[in-house]
């Protein structure tokens, strides 16, 4: 949290908010990536069974 406050003081509010949102979204982006990879595997299997 101290690092976040330093960023806020040095870089401004907009930079701090952008960094916070990127950190929060990282896990969601990773989950979305895994879901898309799983979908790709499933679609490949379906195509192979045709």
């Amino acid at each position: 949290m101290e690092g976040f406050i330093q960023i806020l003081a040095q870089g401004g509010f907009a930079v701090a908010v952008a960094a916070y949102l990127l950190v929060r979204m990282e896990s969601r982006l990773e989950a979305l990536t895994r879901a898309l990879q799983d979908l790709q595997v499933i679609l490949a299997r379906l195509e192979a069974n045709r």
Side-chain angles (χ1 to χ4, degrees), residues 5-24:
I5 293 172
Q6 282 182 330
I7 291 172
L8 180 62
Q10 293 175 356
F13 181 74
V15 173
V17 169
Y20 173 76
L21 291 175
L22 285 172
V23 169
R24 294 270 302 160

Side-chain angles (χ1 to χ4, degrees), residues 21-34:
L21 291 175
L22 285 172
V23 169
R24 294 270 302 160
M25 289 185 62
E26 182 181 8
S27 63
R28 291 182 180 140
L29 289 173
E30 289 173 356
L32 181 58
T33 300
R34 282 192 302 270

